[in-house]
Amino acid sequence: MRKALVLAGREYLASVRTKGFIIGLIIAPVMMSGSLIVFLLFKDRVDTADKRIVIVDRAGGIASWVIGAAERRNATETIDTATGQKVKPRYAIVEEPSAADRRQQLLDLSARVERGDIHAFIVIGSAVLHPENMGEEGRIAYHARNAAVDDARRWFFGPLNDRIKQSRLQEAGIDPSRMPDLFWNAAVEPFGLVTRDESGAVGKERRSSEAEALLAPIVTMLLMLLMIMMSVPGLLNSMMEEKTQRIAEVLLSSMTPFEMMTGKLIGGVAVSLTSATIYLVGAVLVLQSLALSGHLPLQALLWFPVYMLLAVVMYGAMALALGATCSEPKDAQSLTFPVILPIMLPMFFYVLVAREPGGTFATWMSLIPFFTPLLMTLRLATPETVPWWQPVVGLAGLAGFTYLFVFLGARIFRIGILVQGTPPKLSRIVEWMIRG
Amino acid sequence: MNAVEVVNVTKSYGTHVAVEDLTLHVPQGTVYGFIGPNGSGKTTTLRMIMNILYPDRGQISVLGASLSRMVVDRVGYMPEERGIYRRMRVGELLEFFGRLKGLERPTPVVKVWLKRFGLAEWYDKKVETLSKGMSQKIQFIATVVARPELVLLDEPFTGLDPVNADVVREAILDLRSKGTTVIFSTHDMAMAERMCDFIFMIFRGRKVLDGTLASIQDAYGMDTVRVRTERGLSVLEGLPGVEKVTDFGGLQELRLLPGADYHSVLEAMVARTRVRSFDVVKPSLHEIFVRIAGPQAEEAGHA
């Protein structure tokens, strides 16, 4: 064990002292949460160029209402009052009469969009007030180059429907001024479960937020993924490097293959623990400074280091065993994918687990040892209570698989480390694994 | 007591027999030279002694213990294809290997060795900045830094210039004088002749020589004559009783036929030219090596 620790110390220092590790500490979370950061950075960066939109009102009486609503919007929403800067585009809406040849009119308007004269055009069907079974005349059609994701289309939904509701109320003989009260949508607000507090009294329910329900679990799971990815591919590469540069033979003259593998695994775990400590302490400090420490998924954080340790050892043993079979760097390149695949698999369905963390699918998936580190951590970080036995069973399965991987990995490692000149073949690796 | 005992050891790679029924006894405190052509089984033998490769048959014991109980901390090994952590600092690297071999405070020993090899100022430098010769000396230090009782060096002189080769040679002899057993493989016959107490030659996986230089040379007898003549090589062709003439420029080496009388050879030579020197010697290790593993032996082996 002493020799394994000496090697672990070297491996650890060789990793954490590099610029790559420090840069990786900063870059990796940025890369992994890249889309979120880009969204936050650019969420207000919308195209502020004014948009000219033609409206063809075959129902009558709707266009003028929408034009009025657009003018109110232009006056109140397009300029940031604090900075005086334009933050949204103005909508210049122009009504045009419906032509006799309706198909030709659509073609002409489309040509104007193509030329850039107008941004889009809307055709309000003649029967839009009572659209049932009215086909095309019962709908409102928004035509633009990219209509499905056009912000303007989303805006039209409000004023158009307001006007339609108003007309329907008038037809029914109801005072349209009652419209806000009649159509006030009742929100279904999210709350957690009610429990007794420390004094035994019924506690106050806690309002749950999207951050708590989705963001915290996903960030915790991504952190676990990051920790595994920061050490496991590194172990594969360092093993391959030692093998191809013939350092392994020097080490094997001083220690057994098992000591060598153990030392490298301990080094890898230490690297992950260092990164995890930095990130977790950083996250706790940031959330505390923002008075958001209530969002900390404490139950998940308690299990986090245990799962992470076993995951790094399990995947690390596999990476080291496969790395030991490489004779050339290109061999390692071809082995990187099979090493990373089981780590990445939960990323394909974690959303299903996050949405129903207490469901059967989430429960079973999180008990599969390959997926336990990511998915159990994700479930534990949700506000939903995970029965106490599930993380324990997950841990037992993970520990069993970790032992199996280390055992089989050591068998491959012991032989693979000495084989030179031949690329790793699956059949030979399996043979070493079985026969030892 | 023998530092290494190899008894009836065989090792094969697939159908290729790398080492066949090898028996070897390396006495403690000696310098033992392994010679043999490339691919003859030297490295495989060294790796088996180090327990890096496992023999198919036979027993090996090192420093009185079987391989499974071998205390690797008492043995230093420098493989032929020397790997080194290029991004580590020199001192750090040597201290790491020292700790791996059980040294608790390796720094003072490392500094002594670096000073001895003229590398004291490289202590804090990265290994990747060293020249090839310097790297090789660092690898040698890494092998011996923990004062092992047995040192195995696979071709330690390859790639070293004469000055550095002398430094390493002196270090090896110094280790021997302090009781360390040294086994090294080499292609440098002159170095083996000068340094080794015992020489072992392996050829096609089989032991063909094993003993002191004198005993090996005695086995081949006084069948070699080194001559210098006024007319050089041209007058030596077709001399009676001569099996082979090897030309070294200013000197020619004659191998006599079995039973040939060197007085008759000298008389025949004097009849042709003026002879400046005529030395009857035992065959050199180089000559013995060529006789065993040279093209003629190869042809005989294939015939």
Side-chain angles (χ1 to χ4, degrees):
Chain A
M1 193 62 185
R2 177 186 61 78
K3 287 170 188 278
L5 289 175
V6 171
L7 180 62
R10 195 215 80 83
E11 294 289 311
Y12 175 74
L13 290 175
S15 292
V16 300
R17 272 193 200 159
T18 57
K19 291 189 192 90
F21 177 79
I22 294 158
I23 294 168
L25 272 182
I26 300 160
I27 295 289
V30 174
M31 295 283 283
M32 296 195 82
S33 54
S35 57
L36 180 66
I37 289 167
V38 168
F39 172 75
L40 292 172
L41 284 175
F42 294 99
K43 72 181 169 68
D44 296 326
R45 300 289 177 98
V46 294
D47 178 14
T48 55
D50 292 348
K51 291 181 168 54
R52 190 177 166 79
I53 298 167
V54 166
I55 187 163
V56 177
D57 183 5
R58 291 176 189 159
I62 296 176
S64 56
W65 169 273
V66 174
I67 290 168
E71 283 168 357
R72 285 192 294 279
R73 173 193 170 277
N74 291 345
T76 57
E77 293 179 23
T78 55
I79 305 292
D80 183 342
T81 50
T83 62
Q85 283 191 329
K86 191 178 177 188
V87 290
K88 288 181 182 173
R90 271 190 285 267
Y91 296 149
I93 300 172
V94 181
E95 185 181 2
E96 291 193 5
S98 177
D101 185 345
R102 292 180 173 187
R103 300 303 300 171
Q104 184 59 46
Q105 186 180 25
L106 292 179
L107 186 65
D108 293 343
L109 286 167
S110 297
R112 287 166 67 186
V113 174
E114 289 289 351
R115 286 200 301 273
D117 296 343
I118 57 173
H119 172 73
F121 60 95
I122 297 177
V123 180
I124 300 168
S126 57
V128 77
L129 281 185
H130 304 288
E132 197 173 15
N133 301 324
M134 296 307 292
E136 284 190 10
E137 287 306 313
R139 77 181 183 193
I140 300 170
Y142 182 92
H143 297 261
R145 282 198 185 90
N146 205 1
V149 292
D150 196 324
D151 280 343
R153 184 181 68 85
R154 277 193 278 273
W155 177 81
F156 275 103
F157 180 85
L160 282 168
N161 278 287
D162 282 352
R163 179 57 182 152
I164 290 167
K165 286 173 195 166
Q166 197 183 43
S167 299
R168 287 173 185 162
L169 288 175
Q170 276 174 334
E171 279 181 7
I174 300 168
D175 180 3
S177 65
R178 291 179 60 201
M179 195 173 77
D181 179 50
L182 286 172
F183 291 102
W184 188 271
N185 286 328
V188 181
E189 296 180 44
F191 284 96
L193 299 180
V194 177
T195 54
R196 290 188 186 277
D197 62 19
E198 288 165 358
S199 64
V202 177
K204 193 168 165 45
E205 63 270 33
R206 200 155 66 98
R207 192 185 172 89
S208 57
S209 65
E210 280 190 17
E212 192 180 28
L214 286 174
L215 195 62
I218 291 171
V219 168
T220 311
M221 184 199 66
L222 287 177
L223 188 62
M224 174 69 80
L225 178 68
L226 184 63
M227 293 306 99
I228 298 170
M229 294 298 285
M230 279 184 96
S231 61
V232 172
L235 285 173
L236 175 70
N237 286 325
S238 86
M239 193 59 249
M240 179 275 300
E241 198 178 337
E242 283 181 4
K243 172 85 182 292
T244 55
Q245 292 183 7
R246 306 292 197 270
I247 300 168
E249 191 173 346
V250 181
L251 293 177
L252 285 174
S253 70
S254 301
M255 59 205 312
T256 63
F258 190 74
E259 283 175 323
M260 185 173 166
M261 189 169 142
T262 307
K264 293 187 83 68
L265 277 176
I266 295 171
V269 168
V271 170
S272 287
L273 280 174
T274 304
S275 315
T277 306
I278 291 169
Y279 285 134
L280 290 177
V281 169
V284 169
L285 291 177
V286 167
L287 288 174
Q288 276 185 343
S289 69
L290 297 171
L292 291 171
S293 50
H295 291 301
L296 273 172
L298 291 175
Q299 199 191 1
L301 294 185
L302 287 175
W303 284 96
F304 190 96
V306 184
Y307 284 142
M308 188 197 76
L309 190 142
L310 288 173
V312 172
V313 172
M314 180 173 75
Y315 290 122
M318 183 167 71
L320 286 172
L322 293 179
T325 65
C326 299
S327 292
E328 293 177 48
K330 69 178 170 61
D331 297 338
Q333 284 165 12
S334 62
L335 287 173
T336 305
F337 181 69
V339 169
I340 289 178
L341 184 66
I343 305 171
M344 297 298 292
L345 267 179
M347 300 307 290
F348 294 111
F349 47 81
Y350 80 88
V351 176
L352 299 174
V353 176
R355 293 179 84 165
E356 273 191 73
T360 310
F361 177 78
T363 303
W364 282 108
M365 279 296 166
S366 65
L367 291 176
I368 295 173
F370 290 120
F371 307 150
T372 299
L374 261 62
L375 295 185
M376 193 64 85
T377 309
L378 172 77
R379 291 180 64 212
L380 288 166
T382 61
E384 188 153 331
T385 306
V386 177
W388 67 268
W389 60 268
Q390 290 185 8
V392 174
V393 171
L395 177 68
L398 182 60
F401 261 66
T402 302
Y403 176 80
L404 186 70
F405 269 58
V406 172
F407 178 76
L408 296 178
R411 286 185 154 200
I412 299 170
F413 188 91
R414 190 174 70 86
I415 304 171
I417 195 77
L418 294 168
V419 175
Q420 295 283 0
T422 51
K425 283 185 188 163
L426 185 63
S427 56
R428 293 188 73 189
I429 293 173
V430 171
E431 187 189 328
W432 297 340
M433 203 159 53
I434 295 168
R435 292 173 60 185
Chain B
M1 181 187 160
N2 289 322
V4 177
E5 296 269 5
V6 178
V7 181
N8 303 123
V9 162
T10 296
K11 175 73 186 174
S12 303
Y13 300 111
T15 55
H16 172 69
V17 182
V19 174
E20 189 174 357
D21 198 28
L22 175 66
T23 295
L24 198 64
H25 307 284
V26 179
Q28 218 160 26
T30 60
V31 176
Y32 219 98
F34 279 24
I35 61 172
N38 294 326
S40 58
K42 300 188 296 293
T43 298
T44 298
T45 306
L46 290 175
R47 283 178 174 171
M48 285 193 290
I49 293 171
M50 280 311 299
N51 203 23
I52 293 172
L53 286 180
Y54 311 121
D56 300 332
R57 281 198 302 278
Q59 281 88 44
I60 298 176
S61 65
V62 175
L63 300 173
S66 63
L67 285 182
S68 58
R69 293 181 180 179
M70 182 171 84
V71 184
V72 287
D73 289 356
R74 293 163 67 196
V75 185
Y77 173 56
M78 185 167 88
E80 180 186 2
E81 292 182 89
R82 294 177 258 279
I84 202 160
Y85 291 109
R86 298 185 57 76
R87 282 180 221 123
M88 282 181 92
R89 295 183 191 284
V90 169
E92 215 172 44
L93 177 92
L94 294 173
E95 284 161 18
F96 163 68
F97 280 113
R99 284 199 188 90
L100 214 53
K101 288 285 188 188
L103 282 187
E104 284 182 10
R105 281 185 293 278
T107 310
V109 190
V110 165
K111 287 188 171 169
V112 167
W113 273 104
L114 285 174
K115 193 175 173 191
R116 176 174 179 173
F117 275 46
L119 295 168
E121 69 274 27
W122 292 85
Y123 182 87
D124 280 323
K125 301 274 190 336
K126 288 253 177 97
V127 172
E128 61 195 356
T129 63
L130 301 178
S131 70
K132 192 181 170 196
M134 286 174 176
S135 297
Q136 210 157 325
K137 287 196 285 187
I138 293 298
Q139 283 154 342
F140 179 84
I141 297 173
T143 309
V144 300
V145 69
R147 276 296 306 277
E149 293 168 47
L150 171 67
V151 176
L152 288 87
L153 308 166
D154 201 353
E155 311 215 5
F157 302 105
T158 307
L160 287 178
D161 63 49
V163 175
N164 281 320
D166 278 348
V167 172
V168 172
R169 181 179 55 79
E170 282 167 19
I172 291 172
L173 295 176
D174 188 43
L175 285 171
R176 196 260 312 259
S177 71
K178 288 172 180 159
T180 305
T181 308
V182 181
I183 298 175
F184 73 91
S185 71
T186 184
H187 289 298
D188 186 340
M189 297 300 118
M191 190 69 88
E193 275 183 351
R194 284 204 303 273
M195 289 182 65
C196 297
D197 301 308
F198 295 91
I199 290 164
F200 154 72
M201 181 172 173
I202 186 167
F203 181 52
R204 294 186 185 138
R206 286 167 172 264
K207 181 168 82 173
V208 288
L209 293 177
D210 187 14
T212 61
L213 178 64
S215 69
I216 290 168
Q217 287 176 322
D218 286 346
Y220 280 81
M222 301 285 277
D223 67 349
T224 303
V225 180
R226 286 189 192 134
V227 297
R228 290 175 192 275
T229 63
E230 272 192 352
R231 292 172 58 193
L233 180 67
S234 58
V235 297
L236 302 176
E237 303 277 337
L239 275 175
V242 174
E243 184 183 6
K244 186 185 168 202
V245 179
T246 307
D247 184 26
F248 294 101
L251 171 91
Q252 286 75 43
E253 199 168 271
L254 313 181
R255 191 199 306 166
L256 305 189
L257 285 164
D261 177 19
Y262 52 82
H263 288 288
S264 309
V265 174
L266 178 60
E267 281 168 14
M269 206 182 296
V270 169
R272 293 184 184 186
T273 183
R274 184 186 291 270
V275 177
R276 289 179 179 158
S277 70
F278 187 93
D279 298 322
V280 180
V281 294
K282 292 175 182 173
S284 66
L285 194 57
H286 177 98
E287 172 61 20
I288 294 170
F289 186 101
V290 173
R291 285 188 203 181
I292 296 170
Q296 287 178 341
E298 286 281 332
E299 282 168 21
H302 291 301

